[in-house]
């Protein structure tokens, strides 16, 4: 079941804590705060299940808070980056829809 949908631009960045290439985008602070205030089913590490959209690609995943009060971040899979022709440092338009 769908919740609320948001659209925003974000820069793709490398998750430095990993040796292999993990690419993430950071949700804006205001969007993160709105999502944090919504009721969600319990999930590990404060994650929230979402549907993501980047260009013509759409996939189910989870967003995770960077810290207790920080913005949410989302991993952008390699298959999506290749399909959409985007990479590290690119600014992309994302859609995120919370799932209830």
């Amino acid at each position: 079941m769908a919740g609320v949908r948001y659209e925003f631009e974000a820069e793709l960045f490398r998750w430095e804590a990993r040796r292999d290439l993990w690419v993430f985008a950071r949700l804006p602070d205001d969007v993160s705060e709105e999502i944090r205030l919504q009721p969600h089913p319990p999930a590990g590490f404060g994650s929230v299940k979402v549907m993501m959209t980047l260009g013509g690609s759409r996939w189910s995943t989870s967003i995770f808070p960077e810290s207790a009060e920080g913005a949410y971040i989302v991993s952008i899979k390699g298959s999506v980056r290749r399909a959409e022709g985007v990479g590290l440092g690119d600014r992309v338009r994302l859609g995120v829809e919370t799932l209830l």
Side-chain angles (χ1 to χ4, degrees):
M1 182 175 188
V4 180
R5 180 173 172 78
Y6 302 91
E7 289 192 21
F8 55 91
E9 288 190 4
E11 184 175 326
L12 302 182
F13 68 93
R14 181 183 186 122
W15 187 252
E16 296 295 335
R18 303 285 303 204
R19 286 181 187 231
D20 49 344
L21 181 61
W22 282 55
V23 176
F24 284 79
R26 186 174 289 107
L27 281 66
D29 290 338
D30 60 333
V31 171
S32 294
E33 182 64 20
E34 282 189 38
I35 292 172
R36 191 177 341 289
L37 294 174
Q38 296 170 14
H40 301 287
F45 305 105
S47 65
V48 176
K49 292 183 186 297
V50 297
M51 286 297 296
M52 293 297 303
T53 305
L54 171 56
S57 299
R58 185 168 164 85
W59 71 102
S60 176
T61 190
S62 294
I63 57 175
F64 295 86
E66 281 189 291
S67 64
E69 298 299 320
Y72 283 99
I73 58 173
V74 61
S75 174
I76 309 297
K77 302 189 295 186
S79 60
V80 171
R81 295 192 316 270
R82 285 188 295 279
E84 300 302 328
V86 298
L88 287 175
D90 287 346
R91 194 147 184 86
V92 298
R93 183 122 187 109
L94 294 167
V96 61
E97 185 174 354
T98 58
L99 301 176
L100 303 177

